[in-house]
Amino acid sequence: MTLNTATSNTSNIQAIDSAHYMHPFTDHKSLAAKGARVITKADGIYIWDSQGEKILDAMSGLWCVNVGYGQKSLVEAAATQMQELPYYNSFFQTTNVPAVKLAERIVKLAGDNYSHVFFSSSGSESNDTNIRMVRHYWATLGQPERKVIISRNNAYHGSTMAGASLGGMGGMHAQGGLPIPDIVHIEQPYHYGLAPTEDKDAFGIRAASWLEDKILEVGADKVAAFIGEPVQGAGGVIIPPKTYWPEIQRICDKYGILLICDEVICGFGRLGKWFGSQLLGCKPDLMTFAKGVTSGYIPLGGVVVGKRVAKVLIEQGGDFNHGYTYSGHPVACAVALANIDILEKEGLVDRVLNETGPYLAQKFAELGHHPLVGGADTCGLVAAFALMQDKEHHIAFDESLEVGMMCRNHCFANGLIMRAVGDRMIIAPPLVITKVQIDDMIALILKCLDATLKELQSHGLMGNELLKMNAA
Ligand SMILES: *Cc1c(COP(=O)(O)O)cnc(C)c1O
């Protein structure tokens, strides 16, 4: 089978897709049965498929298209840089202008605590870099036995061997003999799921104390670092109580262990600050970034290196035997600079903090009145709620019903990309979204919730009380 673009139609593309294209995180047998949706173009917060269907992309692609689709200046930055210098490496005592400019700019955005940036092409690679960097740091300081990295259940840190090991996804650990050694996990700070009746701030302190328990169990002299996403993304948008991160910071300081924040989603404005840690009250030694740094227009990732680590590596570390062919890729860095220009010129980060973020929070609080919606919560422009069978009594649906997937299918059918993580429905719309567009998005979410409720009722799956409530 060959793809003839002149005559290709959707089913032709789907057939070839299924014959030759192996997708990430996909059950191919079930995909083949219905065929992949072919996305053909995009503009602003919308994407279109090959059938001409317009879809509101409330996930910014995969949490990355922060400035929205169709930004010409990013395209021009790439084209100009490709003509001038499409590629050169930084291995052999060479450098390039976009990489230098971008490193300087990111350090400025990160703040006083930071001095350097190490570039990669993705979040996963950047977390591999983190592991190598913190172990090299401790070895340089004469403590090579400090190797263990503590992470959290349901964390997502990428899909390489090390990224997936750092992550806390059971499904990923179940394949391929993961996690790799010297990576351990603690429970996530999921208040609504774990302890909904406990005072939220008290729960935040208690959830942070699990880190101290783990440090003592492993032995403080063996722990290199703790890693966490400021707000867990792929794990279901878990927004921690405000007491959590300051307490994590205090515990890391107490034992001298390094703190890594994986800012791949939270970085570049998502929470209303340049980095999520700036909002949530901690000062990580290392920050992972990717996704939003180029708004996904071209792959780029990296690690912002704090002064504490940079000083040791630079003054005593010697050769750091680590790097990627595309570290500091000039085209990717040029696109990132143009992307940051847009974020700054349009004041998008402040807009999330002061305008669209609070507006989304208000709208999500209203969504909380829907009979299916429990624990609706937002932080900047990430938001989530849990689909509950009986929220008054905090009764979740039986997992086997896959209610999240049911709801997601209604979203797809109604022109809305909203993602399901188990029974949690999550969104992370482009930062360019306006209040009017937020209203449109909320209307679509309500429509899909109603359709889900109707389907559940038709299967007799809602509690009697809720049936009554809905009839009233
Ligand atoms: C997406 C993501 C990653 C992995 O990034 P890739 O570019 O897919 O390798 C790592 N950490 C977090 C928090 C992410 O959301």
Side-chain angles (χ1 to χ4, degrees), residues 95-173:
T95 192
N96 70 76
V97 178
V100 171
K101 280 189 178 165
L102 182 61
E104 182 192 32
R105 200 144 170 204
I106 290 177
V107 164
K108 272 204 189 113
L109 296 174
D112 281 350
N113 215 19
Y114 304 89
S115 63
H116 286 74
V117 176
F118 192 99
F119 289 112
S120 73
S121 302
S122 71
S124 305
E125 287 177 351
S126 306
N127 282 325
D128 280 45
T129 296
N130 275 325
I131 295 183
R132 301 212 49 203
M133 210 179 259
V134 300
R135 288 182 180 166
H136 183 50
Y137 167 88
W138 287 116
T140 300
L141 289 178
Q143 300 180 59
E145 65 289 350
R146 275 206 194 238
K147 275 203 291 221
V148 174
I149 298 171
I150 301 176
S151 180
R152 300 180 297 180
N153 293 346
N154 263 331
Y156 189 78
H157 297 300
S159 195
T160 53
M161 292 290 283
S165 296
L166 285 176
M169 301 287 185
M172 292 174 79
H173 290 179

Side-chain angles (χ1 to χ4, degrees), residues 168-189:
M169 301 287 185
M172 292 174 79
H173 290 179
Q175 297 176 344
L178 300 181
I180 57 173
D182 295 321
I183 292 173
V184 296
H185 297 82
I186 60 172
E187 192 50 272
Q188 61 190 135

